[in-house]
Amino acid sequence: MKQTVVVAMSGGVDSSVTAILLKNQGYNVIGITMRLYSPDDPLEEANLVGGCCSLDSVNDARRVCESLDIPFYAVNYKEEFERLVIDYFQREYEKGRTPNPCIACNIHMKYDLLLKKALDLGADYLATGHYVRRWYHEEKKRYVLARAVDEKKDQSYVLYNLTQEQLKHTLFPLGDFEKTRVREMAKEFGLTVHNKPDSQEICFIPNDDYKQFIEKRSNKVIKEGYFYDTKGREIGRHKGIPYYTIGQRKGLGLALGYPAYVVDIIPDKNIVIIGSNEDVFDKGLLAEELNWISIPGIEIGEELEVEVKIRSAAKPSKAKIKKLKDNQVQVIFQKPERAVTPGQAVTFYDNEGLVIGGGVIESRIR
C-alpha cells in the first residue's frame, strides 16, 4: 500500500522538486500551501507579490500541482501566523532582541499546524524543501538531523527545534542534493519555476523595511534615546530600540572618527551602546528554551565539546557547552565569536555533522 505524503508547497523550485521526487518514489503526494496574507490589509502588502507564501506563490504552487496531476489545497492560517510569528517578531524587537521569524514559522506553522493537518488528512508524512538530512539512527535509537550535502544551502540551523515525534513524520528529500542539481532537475522536469529566485527577505515585511513595519503595527510610541560609548559617555541620540541590533554598523548617524558598531542594547534604560569592531566579539553565551535531537539531553553540570552556529550563514565553530540549570546551557567558544545576538538561535553539532540540539540566545558572555 502506498504511503501518503503532504508537501508544503511554496511555489518555488525546492518544494516543487520535492513533490516530483516523492511522486517518482511511489508516494501518494498532496500539495498544500499556507495562505498567510490578507489582500485588503495594507500592512501585508508584501504578501501579495514575491514572498514565500504570497498570492503569486500560491498560484505558482497550484500550477505545479496541476502539472503533476496531484491534489492541491490552500489552507488559511492568517490568524495563527499573526499571533505566533508576526506578534512574536514585533515583541522581540520592542524588547531590544533580534527575532528569527523563519524559525518561529517552522516551529509553529510548518511542523505543528501543517503537520497536524497532514496527519488529519491521513498522510504518513509532511515533506518540505529544506536542505537537511534526516534518518532513524539505529545505534542511538532516535531520529537524527544532519547537515545537508550542499553546505552553502544547509538549513539544519533553523530546524534544531524539531521533536522526535515530528521527525518521525517528516521527510527532507533535498538533503542529499546540491542546489545547482535541484535547479537542473526542475528544468529537466519542465517546471516553469526552475529559474525562480530564492526567497531572501522576511516574507511579511514590505521592501524588507522591518522598522517601518514595526512602527505601523506598534501600539506603543517608539521613543528616541541615547547612544553611549563603552566608557559610559553619551555620544548622541538614537531613533528607538527596535531600530538596532548587535553588530550593526550602518544607519547609526554617528561620526566618531572610527568605525562604530552596536555592541549592546539596554532596553529598560532605552540605551544603545556603541563601540569598535573588537567590542562586538564575545567569549560565550547563555542559551535557554533548549531542544535536543541526537541525544535525550545532558545533566546539570555536564559538559560537551561541540560545534556551534549562532547564525544561519555562519560556519560552525568549536565550543564547550555546560548545563547550568533546567533548560539553560552556557556556551564558551574556543575563539571569540562576533555579534552574539540575544533572540537568535544557537545550534549544536557533533563532529559528524549531526544536530545535537539548540536553543535561543538569552544573553552574551563578554
Side-chain angles (χ1 to χ4, degrees):
M1 183 177 178
K2 285 186 177 182
Q3 290 185 305
T4 299
V5 56
V6 164
V7 178
M9 303 289 290
S10 68
V13 62
D14 294 331
S15 61
S16 299
V17 171
T18 293
I20 292 177
L21 290 174
L22 291 170
K23 183 178 181 182
N24 289 347
Q25 290 170 20
Y27 289 94
N28 289 318
V29 178
I30 300 171
I32 290 187
T33 293
M34 296 184 294
R35 300 183 69 163
L36 309 176
Y37 64 89
S38 206
D40 58 350
D41 189 341
L43 288 178
E44 297 180 19
E45 59 189 274
N47 287 319
L48 300 179
V49 179
C52 62
C53 298
S54 61
L55 181 58
D56 62 342
S57 291
V58 172
N59 291 332
D60 283 342
R62 180 182 289 107
R63 284 191 287 268
V64 168
C65 289
E66 287 173 354
S67 71
L68 298 180
D69 193 26
I70 62 175
F72 172 78
Y73 300 96
V75 291
N76 193 327
Y77 285 146
K78 177 188 181 300
E79 182 179 331
E80 293 86 350
F81 188 71
E82 177 95 13
R83 175 169 50 87
L84 297 170
V85 179
I86 300 180
D87 286 352
Y88 144 81
F89 178 86
Q90 179 182 336
R91 286 195 308 271
E92 288 289 279
Y93 264 114
E94 289 176 348
K95 291 191 295 185
R97 292 159 60 94
T98 303
N100 194 320
C102 292
I103 291 180
C105 186
N106 284 332
I107 293 171
H108 299 298
M109 308 304 296
K110 291 187 179 76
Y111 301 107
D112 184 12
L113 293 175
L114 199 56
L115 177 56
K116 288 176 180 175
K117 174 65 72 174
L119 297 179
D120 286 345
L121 288 172
D124 301 281
Y125 300 103
L126 171 71
T128 69
H130 285 101
Y131 286 78
V132 66
R133 291 176 293 154
R134 159 265 189 210
W135 69 90
Y136 186 78
H137 197 295
E138 290 293 345
E139 185 178 338
K140 293 179 180 292
K141 303 299 181 185
R142 299 177 68 83
Y143 288 93
V144 295
L145 280 182
R147 289 197 285 262
V149 167
D150 190 334
E151 293 186 2
K152 291 182 179 179
K153 295 300 295 182
D154 171 58
Q155 292 171 295
S156 58
Y157 168 81
V158 299
L159 296 173
Y160 75 88
N161 225 297
L162 290 177
T163 67
Q164 288 294 300
E165 185 63 20
Q166 289 167 335
L167 286 167
K168 179 180 178 181
H169 295 286
T170 307
L171 299 177
F172 303 104
L174 303 188
D176 291 318
F177 295 98
E178 298 283 343
K179 179 61 181 259
T180 53
R181 178 58 189 143
V182 171
R183 287 200 178 277
E184 288 172 359
M185 287 191 290
K187 190 173 183 179
E188 291 166 5
F189 294 140
L191 294 178
T192 58
V193 297
H194 69 88
N195 60 354
K196 186 175 181 179
D198 291 341
S199 179
Q200 299 290 339
E201 300 175 350
I202 299 172
C203 68
F204 56 85
I205 304 293
N207 303 315
D208 203 29
D209 189 348
Y210 68 89
K211 299 167 186 176
Q212 184 182 47
F213 182 82
I214 292 171
E215 280 188 335
K216 284 184 177 180
R217 286 182 54 86
S218 181
N219 293 323
K220 304 175 184 177
V221 176
I222 298 177
K223 296 181 180 180
E224 294 184 352
Y226 290 96
F227 289 119
Y228 282 78
D229 65 17
T230 55
K231 296 180 180 178
R233 296 176 297 200
E234 182 185 316
I235 56 174
R237 290 185 64 84
H238 68 67
K239 298 178 182 179
I241 291 294
Y243 286 87
Y244 305 96
T245 188
I246 303 297
Q248 179 178 334
R249 180 181 178 185
K250 295 181 179 180
L252 302 181
L254 294 170
L256 301 177
Y258 61 86
Y261 298 83
V262 174
V263 300
D264 205 359
I265 297 172
I266 307 175
D268 57 334
K269 296 183 179 179
N270 200 17
I271 289 173
V272 176
I273 306 296
I274 301 296
S276 67
N277 186 50
E278 290 76 14
D279 296 321
V280 182
F281 285 81
D282 295 304
K283 72 174 185 178
L285 60 88
L286 295 179
E288 298 184 348
E289 301 178 42
L290 303 171
N291 183 63
W292 305 99
I293 294 181
S294 68
I295 61 175
I298 60 177
E299 300 296 324
I300 292 176
E302 184 179 351
E303 281 191 345
L304 287 179
E305 292 189 0
V306 301
E307 293 184 339
V308 301
K309 288 179 70 170
I310 60 170
R311 58 184 60 86
S312 184
K315 291 185 177 180
S317 59
K318 294 186 181 300
K320 286 185 178 181
I321 62 174
K322 180 180 180 179
K323 189 170 184 180
L324 302 182
K325 59 182 181 180
D326 278 349
N327 220 26
Q328 184 187 73
V329 296
Q330 171 188 272
V331 180
I332 300 297
F333 308 121
Q334 188 175 86
K335 296 179 180 179
E337 286 285 314
R338 188 181 187 281
V340 175
T341 307
Q344 291 285 291
V346 56
T347 301
F348 316 132
Y349 300 85
D350 67 16
N351 57 13
E352 296 179 349
L354 294 184
V355 178
I356 297 173
V360 177
I361 300 171
E362 182 63 26
S363 59
R364 305 149 63 207
I365 300 175
R366 306 302 300 272

